[in-house]
Amino acid sequence: MAEQTRSFIGQTPAAPAGRGTARLVWRRFARRPAALFGLAIILVFLIVAVGAPYIAPYDPDEADFFRARQGPSRDHWLGTDELGRDVFSRLLYGARISLRIGLIAVGIGVGVGVPLGVVAGYYGGAVDNIVMRLVDIMLSFPSILLAIGLVAILGPGLENAIIAVGVVAIPVYIRQVRASVLGVKELEFVAAARAAGASDARIMWVHVLPQCISPILVQSSLQIAAAILSAAGLGFLGLGAPADVPEWGTMLAKGRQYVFSASHLTTFPGLAIMLVVMGFNLVGDGLRDALDPRLRGR
Amino acid sequence: MLPYIARRLLYAIPTLLGVTFLVFVSVRLIPGDPAVAIAGERATPELIEQVRLELGLDQPLLTQYGRFLLGLVQGDLGTSLRTRLPVAPEVWRRLGQTLLLAAASLLLASVVGMFLGIVSATRPYSIFDNAGMVLALLGVSTPVFLLGLMLMLVFSVELPKMLQLSGPILPPTGSGTWKHLVMPAVTLGAYSTGIIARMTRSSMLDVIGHDYIRTARAKGLSERVVTYRHALRNALVPVITVQGLQFGTLLGGAVLTESVFAWPGLGRYLVDAIFLRDYPVVQAAILVIAVGFIIINLVVDLVYGLVDPRIRYG
């Protein structure tokens, strides 16, 4: 009891999120075949992205002009591109780029959006007003348009495309986290922490933020899908990765001129984007359902 | 209702000002001297000076912004650096094409999406529901450029070849007739179809669980009347909002679709201008789409307030 009292006064423990909850969420997640299918896609995607140098049968940059634009065969499972490079190997390496795009973009969104959302929601008043007006302005642009606008300023290129896609995600996180904080900060355990003498910073980061993790998790899964799709769109427009980089959108854009004679150059990169985006969307949906307390027991 | 409309209009003003300011500042954020960036690296010092004077870059930022706003109010969107012609007439002409494409896509997405949503919700967890939701998921996950190119391949090349036709069933690029509109509209609308289908389904399922639906069934109404007259009407309120918001998203998404099908809209104009570093055109196109997006969101809010009084007085 004495130890408990001390911990309340000195350190104010965070609201518990037990292992039992995680198990319950997993059980409800695993009950949905679609969510499991999405998870399987993501796992394969991760394995491919990490292990590309070991799995790829060819060097992705090795050209063979005598075998240019050949359809799928035993030697080249998904055919060759306009320079005779192996499409399958390039797709495997492309997975690494897509993974990087998804993770960095979400990192930018979470890194900037979450702190701003927490501060805006917690303090309210003028801070909230300023942050939310900025969010309103950013959300006044359709997301792909905002990304294109940013790339127009920063200049085309993969790094700039990733930054642009990440910046687009920031207002989404701010709005969502702020909404969660508004609900959580009125709860009794926050009042208790305040009564125990915890500072605003401690209440925000140790008590309030952990309660907002579920929606952030769901949003991140959906945002990775959106980031990969947007970056591929920028690549397709020629505003993303340079032409020699095996980024899926750029590969598709290159193959586009041969769409009527060598359609595999557009089909396979397109299908890869679609599958991965679908995987993250399915996992995001599954997580949302599994974490939604209103659906508990269903 | 009037105070609600006035309040919403007042809220939109700072956002509109913020968007115009952001777009205005962004062109000035281009690394290096904006006049050099706009005129081009190889431009003569005279041309650079002319650009500087034209954009008023020698004046304080707020004065520049004031002049920019004044020009906007008078319908002046600047002068293209490439053609040396005013940007506004070309923007309005192309906006018409983009609006046509977005409207056709929304119509298609609404009809198909609501149909899928209703079929799924009235037979939850059946094979129809699963098939409908798989279609919706495909719509949400398929990149527009993949779908566009595949439709082109099928309807302009493979099917005509298979049926031994002399020409394509649907023209792969261009505009002018309804046939030109079909593939771009399907391509652009696929994502919105998925969103509307999912929204309709979840909204219907939510409404079907309410007491008044049980009451309607208990008093002996047919399932058809319960579904369409009682459930669907109330379920449609959030669907209308989503449809409105999708229209704005379609305006932005049109950039990609227009590039695939060489559709002469605002999006393609924007992308071409980025490559040509024609910044007044980039600025004008982004501004017009963003302001269109704000106006659409405003209209959606007003309509939402009209159909659901709880929002008005909330």
Side-chain angles (χ1 to χ4, degrees), chain A residues 140 153 237 256 259-260 285, chain B residues 15 153 157 198 259 275 293:
Chain A
S140 298
I153 298 166
L237 292 174
R256 177 187 175 187
V259 66
F260 298 137
D285 287 350
Chain B
T15 313
L153 193 63
V157 181
R198 290 162 79 153
S259 289
F275 286 115
F293 194 52

Side-chain angles (χ1 to χ4, degrees), chain A residues 241-285:
Chain A
D244 56 326
V245 174
E247 191 272 318
W248 292 343
T250 310
M251 285 173 71
L252 210 148
K254 287 285 286 176
R256 177 187 175 187
Q257 46 191 312
Y258 310 108
V259 66
F260 298 137
S261 58
S263 58
H264 66 279
L265 293 181
T266 46
T267 317
F268 293 128
L271 285 177
I273 300 168
M274 190 179 95
L275 265 179
V276 171
V277 168
M278 190 190 287
F280 281 104
N281 276 334
L282 284 172
V283 167
D285 287 350

Side-chain angles (χ1 to χ4, degrees), chain A residues 72-261:
Chain A
S73 64
R74 254 175 60 178
D75 287 345
H76 296 280
W77 294 351
L78 303 182
T80 57
D81 69 2
E82 70 282 1
L83 299 178
R85 296 174 297 196
D86 183 52
V87 172
F88 179 59
S89 302
R90 289 181 72 72
L91 278 184
L92 295 182
Y93 276 88
R96 294 166 88 87
I97 299 174
S98 289
L99 180 65
R100 214 173 102 216
I101 292 169
L103 292 181
I104 298 178
V106 166
I108 294 173
V110 171
V112 181
V114 169
L116 281 176
V118 171
V119 169
Y122 184 77
Y123 286 112
V127 179
D128 184 34
N129 238 322
I130 293 169
V131 172
M132 290 320 287
R133 289 299 77 77
L134 286 175
V135 167
D136 280 349
I137 291 168
M138 285 181 81
L139 290 177
S140 298
F141 297 91
S143 57
I144 185 76
L145 185 74
L146 186 58
I148 290 173
L150 286 168
V151 172
I153 298 166
L154 299 169
L158 182 60
E159 303 305 324
N160 290 342
I162 297 176
I163 294 172
V165 170
V167 170
V168 169
I170 292 173
V172 180
Y173 280 101
I174 296 180
R175 199 165 63 165
Q176 189 189 39
V177 171
R178 172 187 174 267
S180 304
V181 170
L182 284 181
V184 173
K185 76 171 184 181
E186 303 300 335
L187 296 179
E188 276 179 9
F189 72 88
V190 175
R194 198 171 292 133
S199 65
D200 279 347
R202 186 173 170 78
I203 295 176
M204 275 192 279
W205 308 118
V206 179
H207 297 270
V208 174
L209 184 59
Q211 302 301 315
C212 310
I213 293 296
S214 304
I216 295 175
L217 219 61
V218 174
Q219 191 60 48
S220 295
S221 184
L222 301 173
Q223 279 300 322
I224 290 179
I228 292 174
L229 205 52
S230 297
L234 290 174
F236 180 76
L237 292 174
L239 298 170
D244 56 326
V245 174
E247 191 272 318
W248 292 343
T250 310
M251 285 173 71
L252 210 148
K254 287 285 286 176
R256 177 187 175 187
Q257 46 191 312
Y258 310 108
V259 66
F260 298 137
S261 58

Side-chain angles (χ1 to χ4, degrees), chain B residues 258-281:
Chain B
E258 288 174 6
S259 289
V260 174
F261 292 100
W263 184 263
L266 204 50
R268 200 163 146 245
Y269 191 39
L270 167 66
V271 175
D272 290 346
I274 290 177
F275 286 115
L276 294 167
R277 295 170 74 90
D278 196 345
Y279 287 103
V281 173

Side-chain angles (χ1 to χ4, degrees), chain B residues 38-56:
Chain B
I38 287 171
E41 297 284 335
R42 274 173 283 174
T44 58
E46 290 80 34
L47 182 63
I48 293 173
E49 198 48 43
Q50 189 193 335
V51 170
R52 202 188 307 278
L53 279 177
E54 253 177 42
L55 293 177

